[in-house]
């Protein structure tokens, strides 16, 4: 709920600035006009269809990136010598901005869901992979040696030791990736013209519907907050046994 206080304060500022004549209302309508426009948009089927496209691209892209990154991170982190062998490749690919792939996405998929997925998956993959690698590296080597000396199989060690130790890092990666995935989904729709909320913003801007542009931006911001809150709630549920979550609950 505290996140909404900042949004409320921003809306109050957006109401006051044009009313006081500090900014021309043609470029920044009052917040009441923006919210009224948003209310009118929310009863249209077109907005919900566009929102569904955005959330589909976000969810699919995040899911693909998460599964691939967890699998790759566990393999790279646990196979001896593999992390050193792949380190240069990871460090070369990871800093490449996802937006730099926009020409490639447009060439391969055009203005479609495929372009959105390419950008979302690429950006989200690295967020999760790096955290998984950190999590695997943080496993107590004494515990690993003890499990090996007791004859535990590789699968048992992975399931009983490595995965629980790495899980807090995995959930941190998921939280970071969820936000990045939503940003890239909107970006792909804005720049490439893939179906979704970003495309609706682009169309409103092209037609000069300033209040509608701001209304859709506010909606995107609210969805971003909801995504963050939802992932944090999932994180607390999955890690309810972890001491950091217990301390947070006690506080």
């Amino acid at each position: 709920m505290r996140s909404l206080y900042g949004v409320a304060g921003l809306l109050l500022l957006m109401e006051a600035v044009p009313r006081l004549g500090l900014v021309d209302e043609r470029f920044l309508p009052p917040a009441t006009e923006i919210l009224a426009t948003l209310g009118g948009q929310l009863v249209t089927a077109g907005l919900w269809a566009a929102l569904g496209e955005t959330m589909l691209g976000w969810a699919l892209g995040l899911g693909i990136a998460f599964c691939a990154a967890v699998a790759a991170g566990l393999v790279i982190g646990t196979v001896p010598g593999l992390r050193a062998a792949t380190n240069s490749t990871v460090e070369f690919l990871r800093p490449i901005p996802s937006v730099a792939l926009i020409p490639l996405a447009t060439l391969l998929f055009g203005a479609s869901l495929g372009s959105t997925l390419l950008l979302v998956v690429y950006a989200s993959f690295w967020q999760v992979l790096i955290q998984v690698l950190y999590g695997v590296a943080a496993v107590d080597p004494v515990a690993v040696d003890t499990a090996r000396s007791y004859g535990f199989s590789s699968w048992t060690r992975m399931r009983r030791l490595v995965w629980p130790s790495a899980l807090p890092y995995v959930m941190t990666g998921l939280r970071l990736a969820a936000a990045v995935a939503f940003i890239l989904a909107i970006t792909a729709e804005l720049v490439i013209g893939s179906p979704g909320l970003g495309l609706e913003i682009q169309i409103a801007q092209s037609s000069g519907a300033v209040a509608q542009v701001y209304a859709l931006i506010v909606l995107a911001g609210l969805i971003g907050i909801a995504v963050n809150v939802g992932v944090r709630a999932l994180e607390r549920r999955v890690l309810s046994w972890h001491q950091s979550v217990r301390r947070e609950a006690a506080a």
Side-chain angles (χ1 to χ4, degrees):
M1 291 298 294
R2 293 180 181 178
S3 301
L4 296 178
Y5 296 155
V7 175
L10 178 61
L11 290 175
L12 287 174
L13 181 63
M14 292 174 64
E15 178 71 22
V17 167
R19 296 294 186 190
L20 295 174
L22 301 177
V23 177
D24 194 320
E25 291 190 15
R26 292 177 299 172
F27 307 115
L28 179 62
T32 49
E33 181 179 345
I34 293 172
L35 294 178
T37 302
L38 177 58
Q41 288 290 307
L42 288 175
V43 299
T44 63
L47 178 61
W48 288 105
L51 184 56
E53 292 283 355
T54 297
M55 299 311 294
L56 176 63
W58 169 79
L60 280 178
L62 180 61
I64 294 170
F66 180 79
C67 294
V70 169
L74 291 175
V75 172
I76 293 172
T78 55
V79 175
L82 190 55
R83 181 164 186 178
T86 58
N87 185 64
S88 59
T89 303
V90 170
E91 292 305 320
F92 171 75
L93 294 174
R94 184 167 63 94
I96 297 177
S98 296
V99 291
L101 300 179
I102 287 177
L104 176 62
T106 305
L107 179 64
L108 292 176
F109 302 107
S112 67
L113 178 61
S115 295
T116 300
L117 288 178
L118 177 60
L119 299 186
V120 169
V121 170
Y122 187 85
S124 305
F125 177 84
W126 303 110
Q127 301 291 332
V128 180
L129 177 66
I130 297 304
Q131 291 298 324
V132 174
L133 292 177
Y134 284 147
V136 174
V139 178
D140 187 355
V142 175
V144 174
D145 291 338
T146 301
R148 187 179 290 113
S149 67
Y150 275 96
F152 290 169
S153 66
S154 298
W155 171 247
T156 301
R157 293 198 302 271
M158 178 72 72
R159 186 164 55 94
R160 297 292 188 181
L161 180 60
V162 176
W163 179 248
S165 299
L167 190 55
Y169 294 86
V170 173
M171 295 308 299
T172 298
L174 176 62
R175 176 159 42 85
L176 296 173
V180 170
F182 184 70
I183 293 170
L184 264 297
I186 297 293
T187 300
E189 295 160 1
L190 272 170
V191 179
I192 301 175
S194 303
L197 190 59
L199 179 60
E200 294 299 309
I201 295 174
Q202 182 192 80
I203 293 173
Q205 185 271 331
S206 300
S207 61
V210 178
Q212 184 177 347
V213 170
Y214 281 104
L216 295 175
I217 292 173
V218 169
L219 177 60
L222 292 175
I223 295 171
I225 293 175
V227 166
N228 185 63
V229 170
V231 175
R232 281 190 173 275
L234 176 63
E235 182 180 20
R236 287 193 296 269
R237 184 177 181 83
V238 171
L239 299 176
S240 58
W241 52 271
H242 198 266
Q243 58 182 359
S244 62
V245 174
R246 290 181 177 179
R247 284 198 301 265
E248 181 180 341

